[in-house]
Amino acid sequence: MTSIPVYRWRLAPGGLATRRQLRALGLRPGGQDVAAQVERPRRRRGPLVAYLYSIEQAKPVRPMTPAKRAALDKANAARRTCPECRRDAGYVIPPSLGMCTACAFPDEQRAA
């Protein structure tokens, strides 16, 4: 087992990037192992850790296909559909309520 290099915040060498930085460049890690990690110290808790990947070994992001787009649209529609009244709420149903606000708070809707 080999250990990976650990760098302090903002002191990582060039050629390495986080997942978000790769995504901004239109890339993805593509199955490569973590090349290094960056640690950002915090006062009262352990450090924040970000994993770094080699930009040279990164692969381009896969394009969105019509089938993926349809599946994503269907999943988002399911998150907006109230299980009680079966209507599209127009927003993502909060998991804490489990239903749209009209069904969760029917008395408040009539009073308004």
Side-chain angles (χ1 to χ4, degrees), residues 2 5 11 16 19 22 25-26 32 34 40 47-50 56-57 64 68 76 80 82 89 98-99 104:
T2 62
L11 295 178
L16 299 176
R19 284 181 179 267
L22 288 175
L25 296 171
Q32 66 175 298
V34 174
R40 178 179 172 208
L48 288 174
V49 176
E56 291 179 2
Q57 295 177 12
M64 182 68 73
K68 282 185 183 180
N76 285 329
R80 290 189 314 267
C82 176
M99 60 187 79

Side-chain angles (χ1 to χ4, degrees), residues 3-100:
S3 63
I4 60 172
V6 178
Y7 299 102
R8 302 256 317 153
W9 191 252
R10 298 181 188 245
L11 295 178
L16 299 176
T18 64
R19 284 181 179 267
R20 285 188 178 188
Q21 291 169 336
L22 288 175
R23 183 60 111 176
L25 296 171
L27 301 171
R28 61 185 170 95
Q32 66 175 298
D33 291 331
V34 174
Q37 74 179 28
V38 175
E39 290 187 349
R40 178 179 172 208
R42 295 192 288 182
R43 290 180 187 251
R44 295 186 177 97
R45 297 186 291 182
L48 288 174
V49 176
Y51 297 110
L52 301 173
Y53 301 90
S54 170
I55 294 175
E56 291 179 2
Q57 295 177 12
K59 297 180 179 177
V61 174
R62 294 184 184 119
M64 182 68 73
T65 64
K68 282 185 183 180
R69 172 74 62 198
L72 188 59
D73 291 342
K74 185 177 177 182
N76 285 329
R79 294 177 66 200
R80 290 189 314 267
T81 304
C82 176
E84 295 292 318
C85 62
R86 307 303 301 166
R87 289 186 292 185
D88 186 345
Y91 54 87
V92 174
I93 304 292
S96 59
L97 294 178
M99 60 187 79
C100 67

Side-chain angles (χ1 to χ4, degrees), residues 97 99-107:
L97 294 178
M99 60 187 79
C100 67
T101 54
C103 293
F105 309 108
D107 296 336

